[in-house]
Amino acid sequence: MLELEPLCFSSECPSRALFDQIADKWSMMVIAVLNEGPQRFNAIRRRLQGVTQKALTQCLRRLERNGLVAREVISLSPVAVQYQLTPLGHTLREPLQELHKWTLVKLPEVTTAREAFDSADGGKKGDRPLIQLRL
């Protein structure tokens, strides 16, 4: 089992920021799309329904800054930009595929848990306190 140092949960720990940047919704999907090979910005955007241009731009910049994605300017008319995973980015392929596989396999159990929670909540989703205090 993975043992984590208590420092890993500190807001000062650099691993926490990196985890946040890799594990966010768009980053994981961008990495999955780029696993198929180099892609231009609009091709990535078309694959990721619901992502805004701003969100995708910010995501790609974060991934590039972290050394996971490489940006290449292609001198065409008009100029085009292509993105691809770096060797470091490719090392995320297996763990992200396993996480995706887990979501597909466990989705029925999660759906059942959600339905049970929602019906026990009486339709007041989100109105219950996360912690109940006993006085």
Side-chain angles (χ1 to χ4, degrees):
M1 182 167 169
L2 178 64
E3 292 291 325
L4 295 175
E5 296 282 329
L7 180 62
C8 288
F9 299 111
S10 162
S11 62
E12 305 295 318
C13 183
S15 69
R16 182 170 159 177
L18 178 59
F19 182 76
D20 181 48
Q21 291 175 5
I22 292 170
D24 86 2
K25 161 173 80 172
W26 297 123
S27 294
M28 294 177 74
M29 289 188 211
V30 165
I31 291 168
V33 167
L34 293 178
N35 256 330
E36 299 169 5
Q39 303 278 330
R40 289 166 70 167
F41 183 90
N42 284 327
I44 298 168
R45 189 168 175 208
R46 281 191 297 274
R47 289 286 306 276
L48 302 179
Q49 294 180 4
V51 69
T52 64
Q53 181 170 342
K54 180 181 177 182
L56 182 55
T57 298
Q58 291 172 339
C59 175
L60 287 164
R61 284 186 182 156
R62 278 192 312 270
L63 293 171
E64 183 180 7
R65 181 173 183 262
N66 286 311
L68 303 172
V69 167
R71 180 180 184 267
E72 178 186 1
V73 177
I74 304 168
S75 50
L76 296 173
S77 183
V79 173
V81 177
Q82 179 173 277
Y83 296 89
Q84 63 185 1
L85 290 178
T86 63
L88 181 60
H90 278 289
T91 65
L92 286 170
R93 180 181 183 173
E94 188 176 330
L96 292 182
Q97 282 179 335
E98 287 301 312
L99 180 58
H100 185 239
K101 186 172 21 172
W102 181 91
T103 61
L104 295 175
V105 168
K106 298 299 181 181
L107 186 58
E109 291 178 57
V110 171
T111 300
T112 299
R114 287 175 179 168
E115 290 169 353
F117 179 88
D118 292 348
S119 66
D121 202 23
K124 300 177 190 174
K125 298 174 189 157
D127 289 345
R128 283 194 332 206
L130 294 177
I131 300 172
Q132 294 181 346
L133 299 175
R134 293 182 192 179
L135 302 176

